[in-house]
Amino acid sequence: MKRTFNFGAGPACIPTEVLIEAQKELLDFRGSGLSIMEASHRSSLYEDVHNEAISLMRELYEIPDNFEVLFLQGGASTQFTMIPMNLVKKGKIQFVNSGAWSKKAIKEANILNIKTEIVASSEDTNFDRIPENIEFDDNIDYAHITSNNTIYGTQYKKYPKSNAPLVVDASSDIFSYKIDWSDIGVIYAGAQKNAGSSGVTIVIIRKDLIDGVKDSVPSMLRYKTHAETNSLYNTPPTFGIYILGLTLKWIKGKGGIEAIDKLNQEKANLLYSAIDNSDGFYVGHAQKDSRSPMNVSFNIKDKNSELEAKLIKITEDAQMVGLKGHRSTGGLRASIYNAVSIDAVKALVTIMNKFKDEYNEK
Ligand SMILES: *Cc1c(COP(=O)(O)O)cnc(C)c1O
């Protein structure tokens, strides 16, 4: 069986080793004669899986003890609401607007009637960069950034400094580089891009931010509810957490997050070099110093949508999927998350180079 090269933005590629392991254990998990999907979330069979995922995450991501690791549902999108509901006490929050997901986070805070301010934006150039000169005030509840802009293919090389807790939507680059936890208040992500399958939302939150929430916040939308119960207040997304645990184990087997980071840079360099060495045939969306190693968004010269469609068709014929760009950029987008192999990237680059040789100048 040949596996399809998956360049989709999310749900995205899962390491083949993880899927094989899950397949092996699907009917009989650890000698129980049950699938882990069928196990009670109150059973020790499941609780071991749950706690193993948490401790592996703490180990690999070097999460300090004053942070809580939570497994929630509702996707990163529900965090756009939960974060302001739980963290706003003084009444003001600030955002960097670096793309569509930042805008959605701002929108949800506005729905709650919270005072939001945008301190920097790159909207004027269709989000082709991480905004420069980012400065947050001190007297705010938190400062929000989107660490990797999945659609536009931009990423912070370094998080901006903030005296207020920094809240980071890391949905498309969690577990891809080491974190300096000193300014962090919250890091959150849906698991389906860089950490496994859909259904589980990872929230890593500084413990002191969990308290002091208004009585009007519903139980399920309170971090405290989940922190006090080890994310077992109600039924958690057990299978997603199991796959997350296997994915973390896979990262560990690869040498940990630094090793994955190095490999990701190598993969990204191959693809960006193909763009840069194409005599202008391929045009990257992101400015060079904002380029994401996770999502590579690009067009063909003059946004030639006919040629773009032709190239996408060729990739599909070569058993590749997910390369059509988002409608707001057009063109192509190669999502090359942790799980995407360097062989997949090399195969794509070979096709791109051949296509350029054939169609440039014509
Ligand atoms: C995909 C994505 C989201 C939305 O995630 P859901 O889990 O589908 O709600 C939010 N932020 C970023 C940066 C994303 O890439």
Side-chain angles (χ1 to χ4, degrees), residues 9 74-78 80 101 146-151 169-172 188-193 201 337:
S77 301
T78 299
F80 298 161
W101 295 113
T146 312
S147 55
N148 185 78
N149 296 280
T150 321
I151 294 171
D169 176 359
S171 290
S172 49
Y188 66 99
Q192 69 274 15
K193 286 168 184 144
T201 310
Y337 300 123

Side-chain angles (χ1 to χ4, degrees), residues 109-164:
N110 284 334
I111 286 175
L112 294 172
N113 263 325
I114 289 159
K115 188 160 183 244
T116 58
E117 269 178 17
I118 296 169
V119 299
S121 170
S122 50
E123 189 161 17
D124 57 336
T125 52
N126 198 21
F127 301 116
D128 66 347
R129 64 186 197 284
I130 298 297
E132 44 292 307
N133 305 321
I134 297 168
E135 279 193 43
F136 298 111
D137 291 345
D138 291 347
N139 64 338
I140 55 172
D141 288 299
Y142 64 87
H144 184 281
I145 64 167
T146 312
S147 55
N148 185 78
N149 296 280
T150 321
I151 294 171
Y152 306 92
T154 63
Q155 187 193 52
Y156 286 82
K157 297 301 147 207
K158 208 168 183 284
Y159 292 172
K161 293 301 289 177
S162 173
N163 287 327

Side-chain angles (χ1 to χ4, degrees), residues 232-250:
L232 287 160
Y233 173 72
N234 70 326
T235 319
T238 54
F239 194 70
I241 292 167
Y242 162 69
I243 296 291
L244 167 64
L246 290 183
T247 305
L248 291 164
K249 206 169 100 182
W250 176 83

Side-chain angles (χ1 to χ4, degrees), residues 54-72:
I54 294 171
S55 59
L56 256 178
M57 197 191 301
R58 284 193 174 279
E59 176 192 332
L60 292 171
Y61 221 19
E62 298 174 3
I63 301 171
D65 287 344
N66 63 326
F67 282 79
E68 201 73 58
V69 173
L70 305 177
F71 297 141
L72 307 181

